[in-house]
Amino acid sequence: MSSSVPVPGRRASVSASDPPNFIPIPANTRGIPASSFGPQSPSAISGTSPRTYSTSFSTSPSASSHLRGASIGSAFHGMARQLTAFLPITYPLEEEPEKRQGAAKVLLLENINLDAADFLKKQGFEVEHVTKAWSEEELIAKLPNYQAVGIRSKTKITQKVIDANPQLLVIGCFCIGTNQVDLAHAARRGIAVFNSPYANSRSVAELVISEIIALSRQIVDRTHEMRAGIWNKISKNCWEIRGKTLGIVGYGHIGSQLSVLAEAFGMQVIYYDVIPIMPLGTARQVETLEELLSRADFVTLHVPEIQDTINMIGEAEFAQMKTGSFFINNARGKVVDLSALATALESGHLAGAAVDVFPKEPGSNGPGFNETLGDFIPRLRNVPNLILTPHIGGSTEEAQRAIGSEVSNAVWRYLTYGTSLGAVNFPEVDLRAITTNDERHIRVCHVHRNEPGVLKQINNILADHNIEKQFSDSKGDIAYLMADISGVGQEEVEGIYSGIKNTRANILTRLLCELSLASRIWP
């Protein structure tokens, strides 16, 4: 592999992680008329590059000898047409200006922040924004129209959904959690999954602080009484939070931020985690969950939903808590036995609780929070000093903007440049971008099974070309290779694509090409 060296007159390479404003817009230096690209074919596979290069064709186990039902030849012609469709809005296009917005389709469900939708539209994608979650049946029926999907916590991307959508390239989880996606099966199908693990941490931590104060002062009950016309000024069983002990289960990004905020209010903080973690401030880690439950005045959960955490808090754990203590769950609905929580509240063993997440949640806003979600719901609705909120832990303007920006950028970079940095189920691979002066360049994005001999096969296929840069990494059974090759002629592209696609370990192959090469291939 040759090293990349400066070339006189060449613009410095642009990183794929740079903001969109720093991605160079390709100039039509050769003066090729826009009409030479031809009209867009309805059968063409959606391209991905609004700036410098575009997906030409890809392959998956469901399309081993053709591209989503199109022949190799039609895929080439489709690429040229898509490049016309993916020109940025500032590109001088005299004919068919309506095609400046690209045909790659992105579906955003669950009322994802509109800034994310606007960003993806500006990058050349067709975006459909839906306010509610889709069921498995809806995803199977409608998702085949899209190459990318954005979801939050209610939409479930199951193995059945993944198998029904071989065209899907990327899933964006616009939230912290990814348990709503079958990550392993998505990786086996070559689908990268991205999330936003930090962006709403502060919003959740602040919600917990507000709930601690509201529970300790019985604010929700007093508010309900006032709305009913009842004046009930009492101080019995209402407490300051200063000097009280907060027990945090899960000392990650949210738990550690909450720890700092709680200490600022004068609380003592203890925490339990499955691994040793250095505390912030004067917080102290305890050895066991049982110790935390028995010592804390307030217990709050901040753990993921995995096999080890489902129903981690139940009847036995509530019994270990101090009489008159408070319980808060803003993590995941399945980590708590809510029937046991209702019993602990009804008996008076717990003085109050706050619940933001539930094992089953309505798919859209409106009526529906009732016994159909669980027989414990009517019980919870009738107990005193209980705060019930509709999964709003990260629902602030700041958090949703930050999440929308982070995940939409990750989706755009993967589709456009092949960059998988931040993927939760995928090897993290990146290469600097191909610039406008890098003529006759192709980027190979090859997802494959992690088997011996794959790189040897790929490098043999690319042996007649100069490999400008190359990076490969693996994660479990899945490996991902990115390689930029130069000196590629029109007549060679089909052979490169077919050769890589037909290797024994292939899962998904995409070729990303810069605009001037496409112009030469399809005059």
Side-chain angles (χ1 to χ4, degrees):
M1 179 176 70
S2 66
S3 59
S4 179
V5 296
V7 177
R10 174 173 291 183
R11 186 191 323 204
S13 296
V14 180
S15 171
S17 59
D18 283 343
N21 292 340
F22 292 93
I23 304 300
I25 296 173
N28 189 5
T29 55
R30 301 176 65 238
I32 296 174
S35 59
S36 66
F37 291 100
Q40 185 177 12
S41 169
S43 64
I45 299 310
S46 298
T48 55
S49 175
R51 300 289 183 182
T52 52
Y53 46 86
S54 176
T55 300
S56 58
F57 30 69
S58 60
T59 181
S60 72
S62 64
S64 59
S65 62
H66 53 82
L67 174 64
R68 315 299 187 207
S71 67
I72 292 294
S74 64
F76 287 126
H77 292 292
M79 176 185 173
R81 290 186 285 268
Q82 288 155 20
L83 286 169
T84 303
F86 278 88
L87 294 179
I89 215 69
T90 55
Y91 192 83
L93 184 65
E94 296 178 0
E95 298 183 10
E96 301 179 300
E98 71 278 0
K99 291 187 177 180
R100 283 175 176 155
Q101 173 134 326
K105 294 184 178 181
V106 180
L107 173 66
L108 300 181
L109 298 171
E110 301 186 60
N111 203 27
I112 287 169
N113 185 263
L114 287 173
D115 288 347
D118 291 340
F119 169 78
L120 292 170
K121 287 178 182 178
K122 290 177 181 177
Q123 305 314 311
F125 303 118
E126 288 185 8
V127 180
E128 182 174 354
H129 187 269
V130 179
T131 58
K132 71 180 190 70
W134 279 3
S135 66
E136 184 178 68
E137 292 73 19
E138 288 176 304
L139 290 168
I140 291 172
K142 301 177 183 179
L143 193 55
N145 295 320
Y146 303 91
Q147 287 73 50
V149 61
I151 62 174
R152 295 176 73 182
S153 57
K154 295 184 180 68
T155 302
K156 310 301 181 185
I157 307 294
T158 63
Q159 178 175 336
K160 190 175 179 181
V161 171
I162 291 169
D163 287 342
N165 289 275
Q167 85 298 336
L168 195 61
L169 295 174
V170 59
I171 299 169
C173 295
F174 287 73
C175 52
I176 291 178
T178 57
N179 58 287
Q180 67 275 40
V181 178
D182 189 329
L183 297 177
H185 196 65
R188 288 192 293 269
R189 290 295 189 179
I191 302 171
V193 180
F194 298 92
N195 72 331
S196 180
Y198 319 120
N200 68 358
S201 300
R202 178 70 180 201
S203 295
V204 177
E206 288 187 4
L207 178 63
V208 175
I209 289 293
S210 71
E211 290 170 336
I212 290 172
I213 295 173
L215 290 171
S216 65
R217 299 295 296 273
Q218 302 179 17
I219 289 175
V220 172
D221 287 359
R222 299 293 85 78
T223 298
H224 285 164
E225 292 164 352
M226 292 289 283
R227 287 181 177 275
I230 300 171
W231 184 273
N232 189 19
K233 182 178 179 180
I234 61 174
S235 59
K236 184 178 180 180
N237 294 324
C238 294
W239 315 95
E240 294 181 357
I241 67 171
R242 178 181 55 174
K244 305 302 185 296
T245 300
L246 173 63
I248 302 173
V249 182
Y251 201 70
H253 302 292
I254 297 173
S256 56
Q257 283 204 44
L258 173 61
S259 173
V260 174
L261 294 177
E263 286 196 357
F265 279 88
M267 301 188 77
Q268 299 175 0
V269 178
I270 58 176
Y271 63 93
Y272 169 74
D273 206 294
V274 293
I275 60 174
I277 299 178
M278 181 175 291
L280 300 179
T282 61
R284 292 292 179 267
Q285 186 167 7
V286 297
E287 294 291 331
T288 65
L289 177 61
E290 291 75 14
E291 181 182 355
L292 181 141
L293 295 173
S294 64
R295 289 177 53 186
D297 300 300
F298 296 85
V299 173
T300 178
L301 303 185
H302 301 284
V303 297
E305 182 187 309
I306 57 177
Q307 195 61 41
D308 291 339
T309 62
I310 293 176
N311 285 330
M312 68 177 294
I313 303 295
E315 182 179 354
E317 287 72 26
F318 287 124
Q320 293 167 0
M321 292 179 62
K322 296 165 62 173
T323 300
S325 59
F326 302 87
F327 178 79
I328 297 171
N329 181 26
N330 292 335
R332 285 291 181 263
K334 292 184 179 180
V335 303
V336 178
D337 181 345
L338 290 181
S339 294
L341 174 61
T343 299
L345 290 167
E346 290 166 345
S347 68
H349 179 65
L350 296 184
V355 181
D356 185 49
V357 288
F358 302 86
K360 295 181 180 179
E361 298 178 355
S364 59
N365 292 342
F369 185 67
N370 51 43
E371 64 278 358
T372 62
L373 303 177
D375 55 11
F376 47 79
I377 297 296
R379 297 173 62 193
L380 292 176
R381 290 168 59 178
N382 287 321
V383 294
N385 205 26
L386 173 62
I387 301 173
L388 298 173
T389 49
H391 205 148
I392 59 169
S395 296
T396 62
E397 294 285 354
E398 295 90 346
Q400 291 307 305
R401 281 198 297 266
I403 291 171
S405 175
E406 181 176 359
V407 180
S408 62
N409 268 278
V411 169
W412 164 67
R413 287 195 302 268
Y414 180 70
L415 289 175
T416 306
Y417 299 106
T419 300
S420 61
L421 295 181
V424 296
N425 69 328
F426 224 64
E428 295 187 82
V429 177
D430 188 21
L431 290 178
R432 67 181 183 275
I434 298 173
T435 70
T436 54
N437 292 325
D438 291 330
E439 294 188 354
R440 296 165 58 88
H441 274 57
I442 282 182
R443 172 164 293 179
V444 175
C445 299
H446 179 51
V447 185
H448 57 90
R449 294 188 298 276
N450 188 18
E451 299 177 358
V454 173
L455 290 183
K456 180 180 179 180
Q457 286 183 302
I458 301 302
N459 287 330
N460 284 339
I461 295 170
L462 304 180
D464 292 334
H465 302 277
N466 184 38
I467 301 177
E468 295 280 349
K469 44 192 181 290
Q470 185 181 56
F471 184 21
S472 178
D473 198 5
S474 62
K475 186 173 185 178
D477 296 332
I478 306 301
Y480 184 34
L481 165 72
M482 290 176 64
D484 286 353
I485 56 176
S486 60
V488 180
Q490 167 186 349
E491 69 285 351
E492 299 169 297
V493 178
E494 180 176 355
I496 293 172
Y497 170 73
S498 299
I500 297 174
K501 182 257 300 186
N502 289 320
T503 54
R504 69 176 186 277
N506 177 74
I507 294 176
L508 179 74
T509 297
R510 293 192 295 152
L511 299 187
L512 307 179
C513 306
E514 38 90 17
L515 183 62
S516 59
L517 176 61
S519 301
R520 292 182 182 181
I521 295 174
W522 295 279

